[in-house]
Amino acid sequence: MESIVDTSDEWIFERTGIRERRIAPPEMTAAAMGAGAARMAMERAGVAPEDVDILIVSTATPDRLLPATSCDIQALIGATNAVAFDVVGACTGFLYALTVAEGYISTGRGEIALVIATEKLSAIVDWEDRSTCVLFGDGSGAAIVRSSAGEKGILGTHHQSDGRLANLLYRPAGGAAIPMDEEVLRNRTHLIQMSGREVFKHAVRAMADSAGQALARSGWALDDVDLVFPHQANIRIIKATARYAGLPMEKVFVNVHRYGNMSSATIPVAMDEAIEEGRLQPGMKLLLVAFGAGLTWGAMAVRW
Ligand code: ACO
């Protein structure tokens, strides 16, 4: 990063806790990464591609503006019997997508959902803006969602958005309102712009509030929670949210130092790592909590 913009490893680590981030090569698109994560999830769950009824992709970095990246992933993995669509909830997108999947399944519209969060932030950050480019990384995670008997699964959710604050974190141009042209390219307004301090402030309050509401809806007390998976944007946001919500850091899973902010992919990647490390065990009470552009935020209480 020091060779790309005027920054230092010390500044980045102190302010964000980020040591490394993954940058995908050109051919490894959001769909390609998502297909890789999807194949791993299907294999572990013992689900064949043609068994998938609902394929939902959360991404802020679609391969193309049309069609949805979920359709590209559907073709790549051969999930030919599924309905496929994208959910655009920025960093909160994985939780929104899980909730949509839960809705489909609980109302009998399908039995098996494949939920994928896949993000190629390196393609949309401004590599000349040191205040944002150091924060983000690329990655993908996926989950199979299906109904289960008994007191497990998604037990309580809280989601909210505030579109009045959209301009705190956005890509001003390149969509249908201000289509891509030479001026957009020259001014770099098709790339991410962020008011970091404002985002920080809102993120902490919103995530702490959402965590409390999701817990209340699940009937759990704060002490019942075994493990927390917060959106991994920045260690200072994670610590401040934990403090504000009254959650001890020992219960909070952190891997932001290895990946940076992979938007909606951070939570499924963190959960996968926790499984690999043996930290995530059946029966545990989990709290997932996220915040992102929109602004969007949410939390989910899950019995694993
Ligand atoms: N290296 C060195 N200096 C930098 C860098 C950098 N990479 N980036 C900014 N600076 C400078 C600024 O130019 C500024 O200099 P100045 O005082 O001479 O003007 C100084 O550092 C302080 O800048 P601030 O933006 O005030 O720094 P702050 O302490 O707020 O930290 C940060 C910036 C890390 C972005 C912080 O605001 C933050 O974490 N915000 C949350 C944003 C976030 O994580 N968003 C992710 C998307 S949303 C989500 O996923 C939750």
Side-chain angles (χ1 to χ4, degrees):
M1 298 309 304
E2 288 171 359
S3 68
I4 297 171
V5 285
D6 179 16
T7 190
S8 67
D9 186 50
E10 193 190 355
W11 191 97
I12 298 170
F13 189 66
E14 247 175 41
R15 306 279 178 129
T16 71
I18 299 167
R19 280 273 189 230
E20 302 170 25
R21 71 279 295 144
R22 268 67 191 157
I23 306 295
E27 70 281 4
M28 199 183 284
T29 65
M33 283 190 286
R39 288 190 191 101
M40 289 168 73
M42 287 189 294
E43 194 186 321
R44 289 181 197 175
V47 165
E50 54 275 14
D51 296 338
V52 175
D53 300 310
I54 310 127
L55 194 167
I56 309 174
V57 168
S58 162
T59 186
T61 56
D63 281 14
R64 303 178 282 189
L65 292 182
L66 201 70
T69 298
S70 52
C71 294
D72 290 329
I73 294 179
Q74 176 180 32
L76 284 170
I77 63 174
T80 43
N81 295 317
V83 54
F85 56 91
D86 286 6
V87 165
V88 185
C91 304
T92 320
F94 184 65
L95 300 192
Y96 288 1
L98 281 179
T99 302
V100 176
E102 183 203 17
Y104 259 85
I105 292 166
S106 62
T107 53
R109 290 176 166 84
E111 285 178 12
I112 296 180
L114 171 57
V115 177
I116 304 163
T118 188
E119 307 280 7
K120 190 168 181 173
L121 275 304
S122 63
I124 63 162
V125 298
D126 185 347
W127 288 101
E128 293 181 8
D129 177 7
R130 68 177 181 173
S131 69
T132 52
C133 73
V134 301
L135 304 174
F136 297 99
D138 302 335
S140 183
I144 295 289
V145 181
R146 54 188 162 196
S147 68
S148 62
E151 271 290 288
K152 60 178 183 178
I154 299 169
L155 300 181
T157 55
H158 174 261
H159 297 326
Q160 207 172 327
S161 316
D162 189 347
R164 292 171 301 180
L165 301 170
N167 292 3
L168 292 183
L169 176 50
Y170 71 143
R171 297 171 71 189
I178 310 174
M180 191 69 87
D181 62 12
E182 280 176 19
E183 193 186 339
V184 169
L185 277 176
R186 201 170 41 247
N187 295 332
R188 309 176 74 73
T189 47
H190 58 302
L191 301 171
I192 286 184
Q193 296 184 4
M194 179 176 71
S195 307
R197 288 209 167 186
E198 283 296 302
V199 169
F200 193 114
K201 218 169 54 193
H202 287 288
V204 172
R205 285 200 204 119
M207 283 197 285
D209 175 63
S210 234
Q213 302 226 33
L215 288 181
R217 288 174 190 187
S218 66
W220 298 352
L222 211 51
D223 283 349
D224 292 333
V225 176
D226 296 307
L227 199 50
V228 185
F229 290 96
H231 168 48
Q232 311 278 320
N234 178 317
I235 191 64
R236 285 161 61 218
I237 295 184
I238 293 172
K239 283 185 174 167
T241 304
R243 203 166 45 239
Y244 211 72
L247 291 156
M249 277 305 288
E250 303 82 69
K251 290 186 175 180
V252 179
F253 191 89
V254 176
N255 65 358
V256 67
H257 50 289
R258 276 196 295 276
Y259 303 102
N261 183 349
M262 300 179 289
S263 191
S264 67
T266 67
I267 290 178
V269 169
M271 292 179 76
D272 182 66
E273 286 207 334
I275 294 167
E276 292 283 312
E277 290 171 14
R279 204 167 157 196
L280 178 43
Q281 295 291 338
M284 272 188 159
K285 290 179 170 172
L286 314 179
L287 182 64
L288 320 184
V289 54
F291 180 90
L295 299 176
T296 60
W297 62 95
M300 185 175 270
V302 177
R303 183 85 188 256
W304 190 246

